[in-house]
Amino acid sequence: MSQDSPTPPYPPAIAPAPALTETEAEELIHGICFKTGPPRLIGAELEWLVVDAERPEHPLSSERLRAAHAAARALPLNSRLTVEPGGQLELSSAPAASLSGCVDGLQADLTAVRGALLARGLVLRGLGRDPRLPYRRLLNSPRYDAMEAYFDRTGPAGRVMMCASASVQVCVDAGYEEPGVLGHGRRWRLAHLLGAVLVAAFANSPAHEGPYAGWRCARQGVWSDIDSRRALAPPLDAEPRAGWTRQALDTELMCVRSYEGEAWEIPRGTTFRDWLRTGGDLGQPAHSAPAGRPALRPPTVEDLEYHLTTLFPPVRPRGHLELRMIDAQPGDDGWLVPVAVVHALFDDPEAAETAYRATKALTDAHGPRPSPRNPLWRSAARHGLADPELRTAATACFLAAAEALPRLGASEHVQETVGAFTERFVLRGRCPADDASPLEPARKEARR
C-alpha cells in the first residue's frame, strides 16, 4: 500500500527496548529484506478510490466515507482491509500458492465490498490519482501527522501521495539464494529493469494541468517528487542486501516515535545511521552526524523496523519483493492483469529470461541513474507506451507472459483478460490513461 498501516507508539510506562548498534542494524536488515528459497507464493495489494456512483466527480464527505469503511470492515473477508489517509480502501491478499488462489480470493472479497458500498450509493474506482479537489486527510494519527509535516518541507507531492494516490502492488518471492534466472539477485534486478515497462503499460493517472500536465502516469511523478531519497531505488550495481542496507540507513528519518500522548519528533537532516552512531546525541560532531541537532533517545530494533516502513522505493524488499510502481487499474478485472503478468514474468523461467533480455537492453541505453529519477522512468510516466522503445519491450514481455500463463495454471478468464489488455493497449502503443474521461466508468458501473 502507499503508506503502511500505522505502528502505535510505545505503551505508556513501558520503556523502549535496548539501544541498537550500527552493526546490529546492518545485520537485522540483511536478515529480513531477502528471505530466499524456491519461488512459491504470490500476493497483491489493491488500492481503490471510493466515489459516488451517480456523481463520481464530487468529493465525498468524511461522514459518508467513514460509514463506507465501517460497512466494509464488517464483512467476513479473507483479505486484510485497511484505509489510506485520504479514505482510499485497500485489500491485501494473503500469500497464495498459485495465481488462481490469489485472484479468486481477491475477486470474492471485492464482490462483497462492492455490494456493501453500492447499497450506500458508492463504487470503487481504479485510478492512480484522484482528480477530485481539494485533497483532504481523513485519518489522524501520530504517524500521518508526522508524515504530512515531513513531506510539507519539500512541497505538495507528499500530501497528494497520502490522500489521492492508488495502486496495484504485486508481491513475489525473493527467489533462490543461488545465481540463476530465479535467483534473488536476478529477480531484484529484473524488478527494477521491468519497472519502467510496468509504469508505461499500466499508466492510469492522466493529468491535464499542474506540474504533471500531459503525463499518462502523474502518480509516478508524485512519488518521485516526495523527497530527495525516500522513493529512490538503491544502485543496482551493488549486491542486493548490501545496497538496500546502505540505502535504508542513509535515508533521513521521517519521525521518531514518542510515548503515548507526546508529539512525535521530526528531526531535520538526520539519517538513521546518524542516529545509530551518536546514540541520539546529535549535538556532538561524532562521525557524520549533523552538528547542532537536539538529542534524541537511542534507537531500538523497533525504531529500525518502523523506519523501514517509511521508505517508499519502487521495489521494496520485505522478505519478498513488493513491486510498487503500478497504477490502480480500471474496470472490475483490470487489476488482475498486472498481477498475472508480473507472476508470469517472475515465476516462469522462460518468460523471466525474455523479460530480462528485453528490459536490460532498454535500460542500458538510458544510463545508470536510479529509478524513478532517470530518463527511462520519466519517459514511461510522461508518454506511456507512446514511447517506441518501451512499446517494443512491453510487447515482448506481455507476449512472453501470455505464453507462460497456461504453463502456470492460469484460468481461461485470466488468460483472456490479459490477452484483451495486450491487444487493446500494448500492441497498439496505448495505456489505460489514453482512454475516456477518468471518472466516467464509475457511472457505467453504477448502472449495472
Side-chain angles (χ1 to χ4, degrees):
M1 55 186 168
S2 295
Q3 310 90 35
D4 290 295
S5 301
T7 300
Y10 297 116
I14 297 179
L20 185 67
T21 68
E22 186 173 353
T23 298
E24 289 169 341
E26 291 175 342
E27 291 175 349
L28 181 65
I29 298 175
H30 270 244
I32 66 176
C33 61
F34 294 90
K35 296 188 183 302
T36 54
R40 298 184 301 107
L41 302 176
I42 182 170
E45 302 174 7
L46 312 179
E47 295 172 345
W48 302 88
L49 307 180
V50 181
V51 305
D52 187 277
E54 294 298 329
R55 299 189 302 167
E57 70 279 6
H58 287 235
L60 297 177
S61 68
S62 298
E63 294 74 19
R64 199 172 178 198
L65 270 173
R66 289 192 175 97
H69 299 154
R73 287 193 179 105
L75 297 169
L77 305 176
N78 293 314
S79 306
R80 183 167 62 98
L81 187 143
T82 52
V83 177
E84 293 295 305
Q88 311 97 305
L89 276 181
E90 179 181 63
L91 283 174
S92 301
S93 74
S98 68
L99 177 62
S100 294
C102 178
V103 168
D104 291 348
L106 282 168
Q107 281 182 325
D109 288 341
L110 279 169
T111 298
V113 171
R114 285 176 171 137
L117 296 187
L118 193 56
R120 290 159 176 79
L122 303 172
V123 292
L124 296 177
R125 176 68 178 103
L127 187 66
R129 179 186 172 202
D130 193 342
R132 297 171 297 178
L133 295 172
Y135 298 134
R136 296 177 299 175
R137 181 158 61 94
L138 182 70
L139 301 185
N140 293 302
S141 70
R143 175 182 172 90
Y144 293 137
D145 292 346
M147 183 181 289
E148 183 177 276
Y150 173 87
F151 284 132
D152 280 351
R153 296 172 178 173
T154 54
R159 291 197 181 207
V160 178
M161 177 272 287
M162 292 172 66
C163 299
S165 65
S167 68
V168 173
Q169 296 175 24
V170 187
C171 300
V172 296
D173 279 333
Y176 290 100
E177 184 67 29
E178 298 77 13
V181 67
L182 297 183
H184 79 281
R186 171 70 79 90
R187 287 162 74 85
W188 174 246
R189 187 167 179 80
L190 173 61
H192 292 86
L193 299 180
L194 184 62
V197 170
L198 298 176
V199 169
F202 296 113
N204 187 39
S205 50
H208 305 292
E209 57 187 9
Y212 314 109
W215 289 38
R216 267 78 165 187
C217 186
R219 173 182 162 274
Q220 191 62 50
V222 169
W223 275 105
S224 67
D225 289 343
I226 60 171
D227 81 357
S228 61
R229 188 179 180 92
R230 182 158 259 99
L232 283 183
L236 293 186
D237 56 357
E239 190 277 328
R241 289 187 178 92
W244 175 245
T245 298
R246 285 197 299 270
Q247 180 81 358
L249 295 183
D250 292 334
T251 297
E252 186 176 352
L253 292 169
M254 177 178 286
C255 58
V256 175
R257 297 177 300 161
S258 303
Y259 293 100
E260 189 172 357
E262 299 178 6
W264 289 18
E265 296 182 71
I266 310 172
R268 184 183 291 270
T270 301
T271 68
F272 202 94
R273 195 184 301 277
D274 294 333
W275 194 12
L276 290 164
R277 288 183 173 182
T278 62
D281 187 4
L282 297 179
Q284 301 298 319
H287 299 284
S288 61
R293 301 287 190 262
L296 301 172
R297 59 172 174 76
T300 67
V301 170
E302 290 79 9
D303 290 316
L304 177 59
E305 292 172 343
Y306 186 83
H307 174 66
L308 295 176
T309 74
T310 71
L311 307 180
F312 307 120
V315 182
R316 183 159 60 179
R318 303 179 66 184
H320 56 272
L321 305 183
E322 179 185 78
L323 279 69
R324 304 171 49 84
M325 72 289 294
I326 301 167
D327 277 354
Q329 294 297 289
D332 287 351
D333 294 335
W335 60 271
L336 69 78
V337 179
V339 176
V341 168
V342 169
H343 173 55
L345 296 180
F346 275 82
D347 293 342
D348 180 86
E350 185 177 336
E353 185 63 30
T354 297
Y356 186 81
R357 292 176 182 273
T359 55
K360 186 177 186 302
L362 184 64
T363 305
D364 285 348
H366 286 81
R369 291 181 60 190
S371 56
R373 296 199 190 107
N374 62 39
L376 180 63
W377 281 64
R378 301 287 280 190
S379 183
R382 287 177 181 272
H383 307 299
L385 293 185
D387 181 308
E389 292 178 304
L390 284 162
R391 178 181 179 178
T392 298
T395 298
C397 290
F398 274 73
L399 293 178
E403 292 181 0
L405 286 173
R407 296 193 291 265
L408 294 169
S411 68
E412 289 187 8
H413 175 65
V414 168
Q415 293 179 54
E416 291 169 358
T417 304
V418 171
F421 183 97
T422 303
E423 173 63 33
R424 180 178 180 181
F425 294 115
V426 179
L427 299 183
R428 301 180 184 183
R430 302 176 68 250
C431 61
D434 294 319
D435 266 5
S437 173
L439 288 175
E440 182 62 26
R443 294 192 181 95
K444 294 177 182 177
E445 183 169 346
R447 291 196 292 266
R448 290 177 185 170

